[in-house]
Amino acid sequence: MDTPVKTPVLEGWFTLDEREPHLLGARCAACGTYYFPKAIKFCRHPDCAGESFEEVKLSRTGRIWSYTNAAYKPPEPYISNDPFVPYGIAAVELEQERMIVLGQVASGVGVEALKVGMRVELILEPLDDGKLSWKWKPLPENKP
Ligand SMILES: [Zn+2]
C-alpha cells in the first residue's frame, strides 16, 4: 500500500515518523543545555562559551504549562480553512528537557478540555494547507 509523501511545514524541525514523532533540538556539547529550534551558533547559557551542538530528539511528552484559544483567522500568508475553525495553542514543558515548546493542540480537542499540568504527547497532523506540523494531544490518562 502506498502512503502519499507528506510535506513538513518546516524542514528538519521534527522527524516524520507518524507513530512516534520527535521534535529535533540541539544540545550544547559543553553544558548540556537544550535548544529548540536547533539553529543555534552560541550557547545562551550565561556561564558557558559552548559553540558546538549535537542534534537530539526531544521528549515526545510533557505537561501543559499554559494554553490559549486561537479564535480568529490568522492573517496571510497563513492558509486557513473557510470557515475558520478555532484551535487551541499549548505551551508544553517537555518531560526530560524541562523547556517550553509551543504548538497547536490536536484537531478535535477544544480548549475547554485542557488544563494546566495535563500530560500531552507530540503527534503529527496536517495544518489547513495540508503540510504536516507537530501538535500536542492530551494523553488518554487524562480522561475521567
Ligand atoms: Zn552550553
Side-chain angles (χ1 to χ4, degrees), residues 20-33:
E20 290 201 344
H22 286 266
L23 294 172
L24 294 171
R27 183 169 54 199
C28 175
C31 74
T33 301

Side-chain angles (χ1 to χ4, degrees), residues 21-97:
H22 286 266
L23 294 172
L24 294 171
R27 183 169 54 199
C28 175
C31 74
T33 301
Y34 289 96
Y35 294 96
F36 179 80
K38 66 185 178 186
I40 180 158
K41 291 197 170 70
F42 306 97
C43 186
R44 293 188 210 118
H45 191 289
D47 300 326
C48 178
E51 292 180 13
S52 117
F53 300 88
E54 56 174 336
E55 181 180 283
V56 285
K57 290 180 175 177
L58 301 175
S59 302
R60 300 193 54 253
T61 54
R63 285 179 189 277
I64 293 181
W65 179 75
S66 186
Y67 60 90
T68 188
N69 194 19
Y72 298 95
K73 186 173 170 167
E76 289 181 19
Y78 188 89
I79 298 168
S80 54
N81 287 331
D82 201 20
F84 172 71
V85 180
Y87 54 85
I89 296 173
V92 172
E93 185 183 55
L94 300 185
E95 204 89 56
Q96 192 197 322
E97 299 82 2

Side-chain angles (χ1 to χ4, degrees), residues 9-27:
V9 64
L10 291 159
E11 197 72 49
W13 283 43
F14 50 88
T15 66
L16 291 172
D17 173 1
E18 289 193 61
R19 290 171 61 94
E20 290 201 344
H22 286 266
L23 294 172
L24 294 171
R27 183 169 54 199

